[in-house]
Amino acid sequence: MKTVISFDLHADMGFLKKPDINEKVYLTYNMLHKPCVLGILGAIVGLQGFTKNKEFPNYYKKLKSIPIGIKPIGSYCDNGNFSKIVIKYNNATCFANKGIEGNPNVQAILNIAEQTLIRPAYRIFLLLDLEKENEQTLYNRIRQQEASFIPYLGKNDYSAWWYKEDVKTDDGAILFQGVKEYNILQDEFKDNYKIETVFVKQKPVVESVVEEGEEDDFSDNFQISDFGTYVYFEKLPLKYNEQLYQYDYADFALTDSKLKVGSLPTENLYHIQEQDSRQRFVVQLN
Amino acid sequence: MIRELINFVNDLEQDYPEVFDLNKTPSPGLHLWIELDDEGNWKNNSPIEGEDYVIYDGKEIPSSLFNDATNYWEQGRTIGGATNTNKCVSDKKIHSCSPFIFAFKNENFGHINNKIIKTYFKIAQAEYLEDTDVEYIETSEKFANTISLVFDWLISTKIEVKKRDKLQLISILKVLKTKDYINLYIRNIDLNYYKIVHEKYLNTKLFNNNDYCIPKNVPIDKSKGLSNFINGANKKKMFMEHKTGLMIDGINTRISMDDAKALNKFEILSYQKAFPTPLPVIIDKQEFKFDEGEKITSTEIVKLFDAEGSKRTLPQILKSLFDTNPQRVLANYYLLYINGSIVYDFDFVSKFEYLIKVCNIQNLFAIKNKEKELLPTQRIHTIFGFENKIVKEIFNNSLVRIKDGIISYNYFNEINPKFIKNGGEEMASLILRYRKAFYDFIYKSRKQAITTLMFDKLMLFSILLDVKQDEGYNRDIQIKKKLNIWFSLNQFFINHNSINMATQFNELMKKMDLIANNDNIQLDQSLPEFLFATGQVIYYLLYHNKADKPSHAMLEPFLQKATVEHLQNAITNTVNVYKHEISFGKGRFERLCAQVLAYSSDENIKNSQRYLLAGYFAPAVIFYKNEK
């Protein structure tokens, strides 16, 4: 049996390292991405991580086929983007820097600068096949707020948490959703739709966004909020390249606008309905 | 990050190819063209200055040879100029990388022997010339054989140099500085062939280290390798290694040679200072839904950067674009702050907002100009107006500095407290704490970056710093300007309290006047009213201080008090000290002081210090004339 669940993962800080530069400063992705989520799921289930060069870790082999959707959330998220700050620190153990210029026998202090996300939070949607043992375990543990190893956002300094039940502010607004379960609705996506999660853009989003002034504006189905205010873009890792053992990237976008029918291939799109509130969403699970 | 920069360079090549020719200058030093005859003898032995050689001091070069020197030098330099000795062809002293060029630093002149020369040319010919290029190989060999003659010429030649207003004959080697280059080129080879050879060099040297290239059995330019752009193998620094995720040979990211070339072009342009800092890097120009004339592109920004011969700042460029058409849109870009090879920030911006909503600085604290007229309300319409007028003021001209009409910014570089005139180390610490938030607020239009709570803390600290350092009221105007900004902009930022402090200030002033004028009007049970009245009373008391250099710093002991009672005790003591100076009888002071001393509350007053400051620096109602 297949089911979609979601949980809100958040941390005080996060560092999702970009592997393309490593001199003077390390940069972070803004958005959580699938290879990183798989690592977090591996920690929850208790599967082994990276051990050897040129060998995919156990968690990746066992969980890579799980379709995953990611939505940035929280009050620190500005149109999909989180605040970042560069944190500089020293590793003064002298074991991290095996030599300084001109004198390779002298060990030195290592200066590190990392661009860090401030209060990152993401709603993660998972399409789980409960007939598979690992996915059944994952389903149970997420719902019970349990993990084998402590999940973290990029570095084990930045522990990540989620809640079973909704967390509300004093005035009743939902701060973080608890674990939710959804029914998958049959939909051929013949109407324009708004996507909750980040999605892979196959063509310029500008060609897909429904804009004010278009013919359908005056139909009863449209509301002012359908004409969005932003589009967020980021090139993100989608999976590992099995020849080069490095990330394979895709261009992702996130928008609060409606997209035109046929903008995206429908195979990764899911129309889901929350079991408790009956609210409906369209998500892309890659 | 590198993918966005690669797209950016590709767009520049397509839309603005001239940028690659801008700002190009040869390295300082000697540029000498050797011409060989058919037998391989040095034909232009005893070369003529201006025709066969030129000395570039980094400032001026004869225009006739400028392009030649630039073009030849460009086709012979190693990656990253001549500084990256890991990219040398053979010996690290030889910084050229072509079989037709021989370049080295003047300081190494005595260390280059025949063996080094022969090895260099042997490797360069083998690596960058085909076996079929017999003619070119021969010419290169003849060139190599001439080098010793050129060295003799360099040792023996003296040229006329103007020194102390006299022409003197000085050895050419002594005219050059130690770090200057001696560049020797061969004139018998066409420049186009230099370019072909240099392309071959680039194809093998652009990766950080070819040992990491895969697959191994293909030419380097067809493989994927370790990027050299702000990236290293860092075997000595384990935390700098590519430990994330999966790896082959300890490396988890490889790029193609085409990408490496694009990044190298970006690096060169960056070193040549062809971009403003920060630089908006548009993600994908296809994503613009706006008409051609309405959008602002990265290329347009780079074009305007050096349009009039002098480098412009990003605010200047954007101001010129938005002032001509406020409807223009700058959206969906990464803002890159890079200085040399150091990346300070790289972050997505969905839309830049140039115009800002109501941002009026009211003259609540009655600042007067030289003609003793009250300054009018300052109206600010753009985000850069905010930066130049408000941010400059808050951080005492040290984060945004305006000196002799030139604006400079210090959002990321080191801050030396020595150069902060007002505030020193404490102001430096304040800048370090808040400058990133202001950078995000201004350049990324990130409204959440500054909240009212942050703004309150910042303003309080900044003003207290001025109060503490005041001597002879020299910080009076500065403090009042900051108070005007604080009270006027309280609702400008993301708001956690809905108090309009400007309106509240006017109400408090009216109330103070009423109390001072009428026995029957009393203070409400409100801490702001009490503190404002206290501020007024303290000002009146300290006004009677007869010190040579009266100072607002005398307010500080009152600001230390945490409870109403302690504050009242301090006032009572001060009244005792100055009672002989105070002219009792008119009633205004007595009424206000009586109300202040009669007030009762258990609240902590530290959190409301702004009202005490406001009351102290506001026009003193006690000096108003009594109503009849």
Side-chain angles (χ1 to χ4, degrees), chain A residues 17 26 74-75 106 122 126 130 145 180 211-212 220 278:
Chain A
K17 189 163 94 177
Y26 275 126
S75 52
V106 176
Y122 307 91
L126 304 174
L130 301 183
Q145 204 180 329
K180 303 282 179 196
E211 289 180 66
E212 256 181 304
D220 295 338
R278 317 297 290 167

Side-chain angles (χ1 to χ4, degrees), chain B residues 225-494:
Chain B
L226 179 61
S227 166
N228 192 44
F229 178 72
I230 320 179
N231 192 48
N234 284 322
K235 279 189 172 171
K236 288 177 189 166
K237 299 172 186 175
M238 63 178 87
F239 284 95
M240 293 287 171
E241 281 187 84
H242 289 273
K243 293 284 191 192
T244 306
L246 292 161
M247 293 177 271
I248 303 179
D249 303 334
I251 300 297
N252 66 357
T253 304
R254 290 170 168 82
I255 60 168
S256 70
M257 181 54 80
D258 284 345
D259 291 346
K261 282 182 183 172
L263 291 168
N264 182 240
K265 284 176 187 167
F266 178 84
E267 213 166 3
I268 290 170
L269 287 177
S270 196
Y271 274 115
Q272 287 171 347
K273 301 203 182 298
F275 309 131
T277 306
L279 169 70
V281 178
I282 304 287
I283 288 181
D284 183 352
K285 58 182 183 178
Q286 292 180 332
E287 288 292 358
F288 278 109
K289 60 185 173 186
F290 314 103
D291 293 335
E292 197 61 35
E294 288 183 352
K295 67 185 180 186
I296 294 173
T297 63
S298 295
T299 307
E300 197 170 2
I301 288 169
V302 176
K303 273 183 186 174
L304 285 171
F305 174 60
D306 203 7
E308 288 158 14
S310 62
K311 312 274 189 221
R312 299 162 86 184
T313 60
L314 184 66
Q316 285 172 326
I317 295 169
L318 293 181
K319 187 174 183 305
S320 68
L321 290 169
F322 281 108
D323 281 353
T324 48
N325 180 4
Q327 304 306 319
R328 299 196 68 168
V329 176
L330 176 61
N332 301 332
Y333 61 93
Y334 273 96
L335 191 66
L336 171 67
Y337 199 104
I338 187 170
N339 189 358
S341 63
I342 303 175
V343 175
Y344 289 96
D345 194 43
F346 186 71
D347 198 6
F348 179 78
V349 183
S350 56
K351 194 175 176 194
F352 175 75
E353 287 172 28
Y354 177 66
L355 297 174
I356 51 177
K357 288 178 192 164
V358 189
C359 180
N360 297 332
I361 311 298
Q362 298 179 48
N363 189 8
L364 300 168
F365 291 83
I367 302 173
K368 290 178 180 169
N369 62 14
K370 283 177 187 167
E371 287 76 37
K372 305 283 179 199
E373 293 161 346
L374 283 174
L375 294 178
T377 295
Q378 197 175 14
R379 296 181 198 283
I380 293 165
H381 304 284
T382 70
I383 195 71
F384 297 126
F386 172 84
E387 184 181 39
N388 296 343
K389 291 177 180 155
I390 295 172
V391 182
K392 172 189 160 285
E393 213 62 65
I394 295 172
F395 294 103
N396 292 356
N397 204 30
S398 296
L399 175 59
V400 175
R401 183 189 296 262
I402 303 182
K403 196 176 178 188
D404 303 330
I406 296 168
I407 307 175
S408 57
Y409 311 91
N410 194 357
Y411 287 108
F412 290 97
N413 297 331
E414 293 289 323
I415 290 177
N416 189 344
K418 278 185 199 167
F419 299 111
I420 300 179
K421 258 190 181 177
N422 301 309
E425 282 188 12
E426 282 161 306
M427 179 50 74
S429 125
L430 200 67
I431 293 171
L432 287 172
R433 208 180 312 160
Y434 290 103
R435 64 179 176 173
K436 178 66 167 42
F438 276 88
Y439 177 76
D440 286 355
F441 185 83
I442 293 164
Y443 290 90
K444 299 180 192 167
S445 303
R446 193 190 290 274
K447 300 296 171 221
Q448 294 94 323
I450 303 174
T451 62
T452 307
L453 201 65
M454 278 169 70
F455 183 65
D456 282 350
K457 282 186 178 175
L458 164 66
M459 293 310 298
L460 179 65
F461 195 93
S462 181
I463 291 167
L464 291 183
L465 206 57
D466 282 335
V467 167
K468 208 165 77 178
Q469 300 194 335
D470 181 73
E471 274 180 36
Y473 297 146
N474 65 345
R475 310 293 298 150
D476 184 63
I477 299 292
Q478 189 66 34
I479 294 167
K480 285 178 179 168
K481 276 184 182 175
K482 285 182 186 173
L483 283 165
N484 277 339
I485 290 171
W486 190 3
F487 277 66
S488 302
L489 293 191
N490 178 252
Q491 290 198 311
F492 180 69
F493 301 102
I494 289 202

Side-chain angles (χ1 to χ4, degrees), chain B residues 19 22 30 47 66 80 128 141-142 146 166 174 224-225 232 238 241 270 327 340 428 439 452 518 572:
Chain B
V19 72
L22 292 174
L30 172 75
F66 186 83
Y128 311 122
E141 274 170 4
K142 286 173 186 168
T146 319
K166 281 182 184 175
K174 287 193 175 165
K224 293 204 169 199
M238 63 178 87
E241 281 187 84
S270 196
Q327 304 306 319
Y439 177 76
T452 307
N518 192 328
T572 312

Side-chain angles (χ1 to χ4, degrees), chain B residues 470-474 542 545-554:
Chain B
D470 181 73
E471 274 180 36
Y473 297 146
N474 65 345
L542 297 183
N545 178 21
K546 297 287 183 194
D548 277 353
K549 271 196 172 182
S551 163
H552 290 311
M554 291 188 69

Side-chain angles (χ1 to χ4, degrees), chain B residues 532-549:
Chain B
F532 197 88
T534 308
Q536 291 271 309
V537 168
I538 294 171
Y539 179 80
Y540 182 75
L541 290 171
L542 297 183
Y543 174 79
H544 294 93
N545 178 21
K546 297 287 183 194
D548 277 353
K549 271 196 172 182

Side-chain angles (χ1 to χ4, degrees), chain B residues 132-144:
Chain B
T132 48
D133 295 335
V134 182
E135 200 180 321
Y136 292 115
I137 294 171
E138 270 180 20
T139 313
S140 172
E141 274 170 4
K142 286 173 186 168
F143 176 49

